[in-house]
Amino acid sequence: MTERARTGPLAGIRVVEFAGIGPGPHCAMLLSDMGAEVLRIDRAGGNGWPNPVVDRGRHRLELDIRSEEGRAGALAAISNADVLVEGYRPGVMERLGYGPDEMLAVNPRLIYGRMTGWGQTGPLAQAAGHDINYIALTGALHAIANDEGRPVPPLNLVGDFGGGSLYLALGIAAALVERGRSGQGQVVDAAIVDGVASLMTMFGGLLPFGAITLDPERNLLGGRAPFYRCYECEDGKYVSVGPLEPHFYADLLQRVDASEDLRKRQNDPSNWRERADALAAIFRTRPRDAWCELLDGTDACFAPVLAYEESLEHPHMTERGTYIEADGLRQAAPAPRFSRTPGDIGASGDGRALLDRWTAA
């Protein structure tokens, strides 16, 4: 069966992915969604964390890369690729004989993408870690605390995916653009700590001038302010409100029939708890869906707090096609969107057949 031609902006780009877990596979998914052909080199039994959504759009090739036959196959793939993605601890690829110096000698146009938590260098480079540790070191986790002051990890969205896979994908895309000018490949060292530090730049730029604080009790965006938090409804479900601007806050208060006194000294943290309690009492008088009927689509900066399964069916998400059906599963559509070269979910397939096509070209 002939595969349909890819249409995304990375159509024609060939990616070799050394199978792993977390941000590396997610980066490879993003590249595939944008049209790249991805050949995943897997070990026997897979990566131990199969995910039919994140693993979409791959051609899987099972190789023992330590064996003579496996090395020959891996080198054939790499010599015909544009991009290599790996997420091992620093030094592992070098010990296996697939380090960047060797692979760039094999293929000087190769973009060699490396995904780690701590980075390739530094005192912690060889230490084990996970998302929670990386965002802890950057100051991000300290700023995200519950009402008792205990830092709460925001799933692994900020570290693994926000500061990790997205920055690796951006780095690879930028390196591909630069290669178009120079004709030369290079190494992209994407460390989660670096990416999260970059994500924190808005706060870092405002802190020295007192324009914002990261103290969870006084941070406008930390979930304590009465105008930027979640409220429980009569049915035990939650809604979110975020009218930071005074005119939006006034709109919310008017619509929920709250006292105008709540507008006074809006940004003074000393009154936040009392005023949040007043709004909490109001939101507990109706179920979540009733608040949706009243506030959806207004300037009150409102949205219901949906479970993932509910998000799949929300009218806004369905009209935009944010989730689509693919391979029998509802899943996020490729993002972002391109007007002329739209991305799509590529077909999975046999890695050996793809490699044969690459080497025959």
Side-chain angles (χ1 to χ4, degrees), residues 3 14-16 37-41 59-63 69-81 349-361:
E3 293 184 22
R14 297 172 173 179
V15 178
V16 172
E37 285 188 319
V38 181
L39 174 62
R40 167 180 280 192
I41 295 179
H59 289 71
R60 181 173 174 267
L61 179 61
E62 191 174 289
L63 290 177
E69 180 183 2
R71 181 172 178 81
L75 291 179
I78 294 166
S79 64
N80 285 278
D350 175 25
R352 178 59 63 181
L354 181 63
L355 178 57
D356 290 345
R357 176 155 58 80
W358 285 8
T359 55

Side-chain angles (χ1 to χ4, degrees), residues 187-198:
V187 178
V188 179
D189 173 7
I192 293 171
V193 291
D194 295 347
V196 177
S198 177

Side-chain angles (χ1 to χ4, degrees), residues 76-116:
I78 294 166
S79 64
N80 285 278
D82 297 287
V83 176
L84 182 152
V85 173
E86 63 94 1
Y88 299 136
R89 200 178 300 203
V92 170
M93 289 293 278
E94 285 83 350
R95 290 195 296 274
L96 291 170
Y98 299 94
D101 290 344
E102 292 174 271
M103 295 304 99
L104 283 164
V106 169
N107 181 355
R109 291 174 54 83
L110 183 69
I111 307 302
Y112 194 109
R114 316 199 79 172
M115 182 77 260
T116 60

Side-chain angles (χ1 to χ4, degrees), residues 223-247:
R224 304 295 203 286
F227 47 86
Y228 202 87
R229 65 183 296 151
C230 297
Y231 289 101
E232 185 177 10
C233 303
E234 185 183 42
D235 54 3
K237 298 178 181 179
Y238 285 82
V239 295
S240 70
V241 296
L244 291 166
E245 298 83 355
H247 55 292

